[in-house]
Amino acid sequence: MPQKRLGVGFIGSGFNARFHMLSWPGVRDADVLGVWSPNRAHSRDTAAYARSLDIGDCKPYRSITDMIRDPAINALWICSPNQARVDNMEEIARAITRGRGSLRGIACEKPLARNVEEAREVIALAKQARLATGYLENQLFAPAVERGKQLLWARGAALTGRPYLARAAEEHSGPHMPWFWRGKLQGGGVLNDMMCHSALVVRHLLTKPGEPLSTVKPVRVTAHIASLKWTQPAYARRLKREMGADYRREPAEDFASMTIEFRTKEGQTIFGEATTSWSFIGAGLRLSAELLGPEYSMSWNSLDPGLRLFFSREVKGRAGEDLVEKQNAEMGQMPVVPNEAVAYGYEAEDRHFARVFLGKEKPLLTFRDGFDVVRLLMTAYQSAEQGKTLRFPPRGIDRFVPKVAKGTWRP
């Protein structure tokens, strides 16, 4: 008999894991039953948070292996820091190959790994454990992205020709946790942290619905990275005080841009432009996307919601993120994203992969897609370091590690 519900365990108990859990009331086929973190107090708190959302009888586990041993856990969502990806996958593969338990699948947050060599290792470990995989890229599942793409291809492209230019950006004032800021841990700066979203979104938008991403092939990449804000003396001191990252000695980029030249299966040249920033100051996190063709265009900006509030100078309260993620102010006219887990695509993403691991749908993204994204990111770093456009994939990309990740980059 086919399994009707999926029991999901989370590896990681931080901001990202909680965002997924916030989306889970919209996931009908799965329950959140477990969480593991190296910080046991965080595991307990996050398990309690899941129970408070009524998304499953979630409990903390002492190890990943213990979670796999539990027959109630059928799939894992990896939401741990980048530097833990390979270690987490090694424990998963070891537990399964030694008969400690079984899983139907594993989904991993972006980026799949910090560089191409690590990404290959993650894929090899998943193959060793004979696991179905899913690559968690929420922005592809954002309702505005999906609906806009569907309409433009069905009407504009069908009548006047395929789109030829896509743009995507993710911008905010900086990450929540200290490890994100440290290139040696995270694998880079804002390019590695967030360009994974934008680079995949532009390729997705330019790909005809129902066809694989491989029909739109990257052929050349041009990229730039810079530290526009956080190496300035006053901001570097603040970053050291608040996050423990010393950008006077080991800086990471807080701005990145990438232009990707694609070749379609028909031989047409088309382009994707991606931008990402930790040096953006606005109401909060801003996601945006555009798709342009011969006689049509679409645009999306997450800070243009249908709800806005205004607070005068007399409304003085505690700082928070109750209006929008990465919120930077509490007064004036403020946009409100009423349900961020839905608007950013988490709900549709988690619903999709739960159904994938139950055998009800085919995966839209697997670890192989995550690997392709890592290759693009590393090519972008290499392009920025060399100051020139590179053919994709360039020589030596399998062993390339960005200077930012080595701690030797000097802006």
Side-chain angles (χ1 to χ4, degrees):
M1 293 292 291
Q3 187 173 334
K4 293 183 178 180
R5 297 192 68 76
L6 194 73
V8 174
F10 274 80
I11 297 175
S13 59
F15 177 82
N16 180 257
R18 287 176 174 240
F19 228 117
H20 280 283
M21 291 177 182
L22 189 61
S23 81
W24 223 267
V27 181
R28 298 182 59 185
D29 301 304
D31 301 305
V32 177
L33 300 181
V35 60
W36 173 84
S37 166
N39 187 314
R40 294 186 67 185
H42 288 179
S43 293
R44 289 192 296 269
D45 290 346
T46 303
Y49 176 71
R51 293 194 301 271
S52 74
L53 295 172
D54 196 24
I55 56 175
D57 188 17
C58 187
K59 63 181 182 180
Y61 288 82
R62 296 178 65 90
S63 69
I64 296 173
T65 300
D66 283 346
M67 195 154 55
I68 293 172
R69 276 196 186 104
D70 190 337
I73 302 294
N74 315 122
L76 296 178
W77 260 233
I78 299 180
C79 299
S80 53
N82 297 1
Q83 65 268 23
R85 289 282 193 269
V86 174
D87 289 344
N88 293 161
M89 283 299 304
E90 284 178 342
E91 183 172 354
I92 292 166
R94 186 165 55 248
I96 292 175
T97 56
R98 291 180 179 177
R100 304 290 175 81
S102 61
L103 297 172
R104 295 182 67 92
I106 186 164
C108 183
E109 255 297 337
K110 62 80 190 171
L112 186 66
R114 295 181 294 181
N115 52 62
V116 176
E117 188 173 27
E118 286 189 0
R120 284 194 187 279
E121 190 168 357
V122 166
I123 289 177
L125 289 164
K127 187 175 181 180
Q128 177 185 333
R130 298 183 179 180
L131 287 171
T133 65
Y135 178 57
L136 295 170
E137 173 42 69
N138 58 285
Q139 290 181 32
L140 262 65
F141 295 87
V145 171
E146 278 301 279
R147 185 61 173 152
K149 175 182 175 177
Q150 179 187 38
L151 289 171
L152 254 66
W153 274 92
R155 297 173 68 87
L159 296 173
T160 66
R162 66 147 30 253
Y164 41 64
L165 177 61
R167 299 188 179 106
E170 179 173 7
E171 304 161 291
H172 59 63
S173 56
H176 288 95
M177 299 299 291
W179 68 268
F180 279 102
W181 296 91
R182 297 175 61 187
K184 288 183 178 179
L185 290 180
Q186 193 250 103
V190 72
L191 192 156
N192 206 49
D193 178 35
M194 301 196 319
M195 188 70 83
C196 41
H197 290 300
S198 305
L200 190 52
V201 167
V202 296
R203 192 178 186 186
H204 172 67
L205 288 172
L206 290 166
T207 301
K208 186 176 181 180
E211 293 189 350
L213 292 170
S214 59
T215 59
V216 177
K217 293 184 178 181
V219 292
R220 295 200 303 173
V221 173
T222 308
H224 298 83
I225 62 173
S227 179
L228 301 179
K229 175 179 179 177
W230 291 103
T231 49
Q232 294 183 31
Y235 289 107
R237 288 193 295 270
R238 174 179 156 189
L239 190 60
K240 180 70 180 298
R241 182 175 65 253
E242 295 179 359
M243 294 290 177
D246 191 349
Y247 272 29
R248 291 167 292 187
R249 294 185 177 183
E250 293 187 353
E253 77 281 359
D254 60 19
F255 170 83
S257 67
M258 173 164 57
T259 299
I260 310 168
E261 179 183 329
F262 295 102
R263 191 70 45 80
T264 71
K265 65 178 183 179
E266 297 82 13
Q268 183 179 349
T269 297
I270 58 178
F271 285 89
E273 296 177 348
T275 305
T276 192
S277 174
W278 289 341
S279 51
F280 168 78
I281 289 294
L285 168 69
R286 181 171 70 180
L287 307 178
S288 59
E290 296 182 16
L291 185 61
L292 294 82
E295 298 292 339
Y296 53 86
S297 65
M298 65 159 271
S299 64
W300 170 53
N301 186 326
S302 64
L303 292 183
D304 290 334
L307 177 62
R308 292 182 181 274
L309 303 180
F310 176 81
F311 299 107
S312 79
R313 297 186 186 95
E314 301 305 313
V315 182
K316 299 176 182 178
R318 296 174 59 186
E321 294 188 38
D322 51 338
L323 306 181
V324 63
E325 183 187 338
K326 308 294 191 305
Q327 190 172 320
N328 289 310
E330 277 73 36
M331 66 174 59
Q333 183 162 307
M334 295 290 297
V336 180
V337 182
N339 191 329
E340 291 179 296
V342 173
Y344 302 157
Y346 285 92
E347 181 182 279
E349 168 187 61
D350 289 329
R351 185 167 54 240
H352 168 68
F353 284 111
R355 291 176 61 80
V356 166
F357 296 146
L358 287 171
K360 297 180 178 182
E361 294 181 12
K362 292 183 178 180
L364 293 177
L365 297 171
T366 69
F367 278 14
R368 176 55 57 177
D369 296 294
F371 174 82
D372 289 344
V373 171
V374 172
R375 282 207 306 174
L376 271 173
L377 299 184
M378 293 305 106
T379 303
Y381 272 118
Q382 199 172 81
S383 168
E385 289 182 11
Q386 296 181 14
K388 64 181 182 181
T389 299
L390 298 178
R391 290 196 173 276
F392 180 83
R395 286 185 178 180
I397 200 64
D398 283 7
R399 296 187 178 180
F400 174 76
V401 176
K403 289 182 178 179
V404 180
K406 294 176 180 177
T408 60
W409 181 64
R410 297 295 176 261

